[in-house]
Amino acid sequence: MAVAGPMPSIVGALSCQKDSYLQALETEVVSCNEYTPPKTPQQSGKSKTKKSTDPEKGLSDIASKTWLIEFADSVIFPEGGGQPTDHGFITALDNESNEPIPVTNIQRHGLRCVHFSPKPLEPGTPVRQTINFTRRWDHMQQHTGQHLLSAIMDGMDLPTLGWSMGVAGEMNYVELPRKPTDDELQSIQSKCNEMIRENLPITVETPEGKGSSSLPEDYDKEKGVVRFIKIGDMDYNACCGTHLKQTSHVALILLHHTQSIRGTNCRLFFTAGDRAIKLAAESINGLRTIAVSLSSSATPADVASNVNRLTDQVSDARRKEKKMLAEIAKFESERLTTYLETHDSAFSYRATDGLDFINSVVSEIREVAKERVVVLCSGEVKTSGSIVIFGKPELVERMAVKVKEVVSTAKGGGKGEKWQGKVTEWKKGEVEQLKKAKN
């Protein structure tokens, strides 16, 4: 790798970390080397997927020609601390080519900040870096919001075990050792937004000799810079990410739903800032759409009441359907019983009634069919369906062979007095052919 000019700033002391509101920076190329993707090891058998800690994770889809570029400094933040990489542009200032180069992947390799570029740049080339500040601002609102949220919950016996930032427009979550009560959730959200209104200062400290157990294994604690994010007098935590300068810039924090995981652990979903406002607006619009379909007002209470009413109606309809289906199954069983008095085989096809209906019929006429064979099937043309054959074992076995010959997508199995199969897709004419084949 060719190297020229000054030594690059290390991660922890980058311009993006010193001033997270900085949107552009003029610097120069220190090194440039073509990227060689690591070979994917061959695996045999099944394996469980684990979250990668490799700084080059997710790079398998990189273009065939990619260059790893280091600059004397960087305003574009590399992925770290639970915060995704910034996106930005690199513009050469040497008058040879001033077309901006898009950069969407910046990674920390040890203490180094590495930019994955679709074009090479000669060491020593002066450049201007600019960032997608909308993306940066969103990331800062979510990340600082998480620090504030976790600080509030720490004082309520709800320590944060981990967290994940959702992609743009989606919810984030913090993992907790237990599920908060409804009263606790209301209190947490109220306290978070109270601290936002108080507009507490957020500062970065880099005390010498002070370490942190949360540092990545490949980060040199002796040569590196350990950053601590301080929110007023309420929180002090090690973090390499970019953060807002005051809590008012978080704007607001909204708590959403919880999800139980791993025993008593719980994920609490949240959003902050502009993302929370957008999600709230989408939820309001969604509520209005549901209200229109229910012929209801858009107030949450009215929508909830109408949804409950509709749910009750659906449950009542399902109970009636189940009762009616049982009655139809009884009538069909009686029909087949009468038919079997003068025949050795019987056939029943109900296009829209499924396996539950078929099993009801089987239970009703199992004794009658012991010395005969009965074929029951369901499903419409171009859709899936079910087939059940039961009765005398040798007749069942013989009929199962015919089913596989006639119904092209039928698969199933069984032995003795019952064979059961599934039809992936009924073809035109197969039901009629199956009816003839049972004779």
Side-chain angles (χ1 to χ4, degrees), residues 98-386:
N98 58 4
E99 182 181 353
I101 302 171
V103 179
T104 59
N105 189 6
I106 302 91
Q107 299 288 328
R108 179 190 62 80
H109 290 186
L111 298 177
R112 300 158 53 213
C113 177
V114 179
H115 301 65
F116 290 74
S117 170
K119 295 183 180 179
L121 289 171
E122 286 294 324
T125 302
V127 300
R128 179 185 294 110
Q129 300 175 348
T130 56
I131 69 167
N132 178 338
F133 195 69
T134 300
R135 178 181 170 89
R136 162 76 68 79
W137 185 258
D138 174 56
H139 289 173
M140 291 197 295
Q141 285 187 317
Q142 309 316 307
H143 201 166
T144 303
Q146 179 267 314
H147 274 236
L148 182 59
L149 172 62
S150 293
I152 294 294
M153 292 191 296
D154 277 345
M156 300 175 65
D157 189 32
L158 283 166
T160 297
L161 306 179
W163 88 289
S164 176
M165 185 186 298
V167 298
E170 295 187 4
M171 292 179 284
N172 322 294
Y173 70 78
V174 288
E175 185 171 336
L176 306 172
R178 65 176 176 85
K179 181 180 179 179
T181 65
D182 289 342
D183 287 342
E184 284 177 322
L185 290 174
Q186 291 182 12
S187 177
I188 292 165
Q189 181 166 277
S190 178
K191 288 179 180 179
C192 283
N193 289 301
E194 182 182 340
M195 293 300 101
I196 288 172
R197 290 191 297 273
E198 286 192 13
N199 198 22
L200 301 175
I202 301 171
T203 55
V204 179
E205 296 183 2
T206 56
E208 290 187 12
K210 186 173 177 63
S212 171
S213 59
S214 63
L215 291 175
E217 292 181 0
D218 66 336
Y219 190 83
D220 192 321
K221 300 176 184 178
E222 301 298 324
K223 298 179 181 179
V225 175
V226 182
R227 305 167 72 247
F228 285 82
I229 309 302
K230 184 180 181 183
I231 303 178
D233 293 324
M234 68 176 298
D235 192 47
Y236 191 75
N237 264 299
C239 184
C240 69
T242 57
H243 286 274
L244 300 169
K245 294 182 178 180
Q246 55 207 65
T247 58
S248 64
H249 287 181
V250 177
L252 83 160
I253 290 175
L254 292 180
L255 303 185
H256 301 284
H257 62 284
T258 58
Q259 179 185 61
S260 296
I261 57 166
R262 290 191 294 277
T264 61
N265 283 14
C266 168
R267 285 177 179 171
L268 171 59
F269 290 82
F270 76 97
T271 49
D274 298 342
R275 188 183 295 199
I277 294 171
K278 183 178 179 182
L279 191 59
E282 290 174 350
S283 298
I284 292 170
N285 290 334
L287 199 63
R288 287 173 181 160
T289 301
I290 295 171
V292 170
S293 66
L294 295 173
S295 299
S296 162
S297 76
T299 61
D302 283 350
V303 171
S305 176
N306 277 278
V307 168
N308 288 335
R309 175 178 56 80
L310 185 61
T311 300
D312 290 341
Q313 290 175 350
V314 171
S315 297
D316 186 50
R318 284 175 176 169
R319 283 194 296 270
K320 290 179 179 178
E321 180 188 23
K322 187 176 181 180
K323 184 178 179 181
M324 186 178 297
L325 204 60
E327 291 176 355
I328 295 173
K330 189 171 182 63
F331 287 135
E332 183 67 1
S333 299
E334 291 174 354
R335 182 188 74 81
L336 291 171
T337 299
T338 301
Y339 186 82
L340 288 171
E341 290 176 357
T342 55
H343 297 79
D344 292 330
S345 64
F347 180 84
S348 175
Y349 168 62
R350 301 278 302 182
T352 58
D353 298 328
L355 192 57
D356 287 343
F357 175 85
I358 290 175
N359 287 331
S360 295
V361 174
V362 171
S363 64
E364 289 285 340
I365 64 170
R366 185 183 296 276
E367 289 300 318
V368 178
K370 273 190 173 182
E371 297 301 319
R372 298 166 180 82
V373 64
V374 179
V375 180
L376 306 176
C377 55
S378 68
E380 298 180 282
V381 174
K382 295 185 179 180
T383 66
S384 61
S386 299

Side-chain angles (χ1 to χ4, degrees), residues 35-38 55-68 104-107 115-118:
Y35 172 71
T36 303
E56 295 180 357
K57 63 182 172 60
L59 303 180
S60 59
D61 58 347
I62 287 179
S64 57
K65 288 288 186 179
T66 301
W67 282 264
L68 307 183
T104 59
N105 189 6
I106 302 91
Q107 299 288 328
H115 301 65
F116 290 74
S117 170

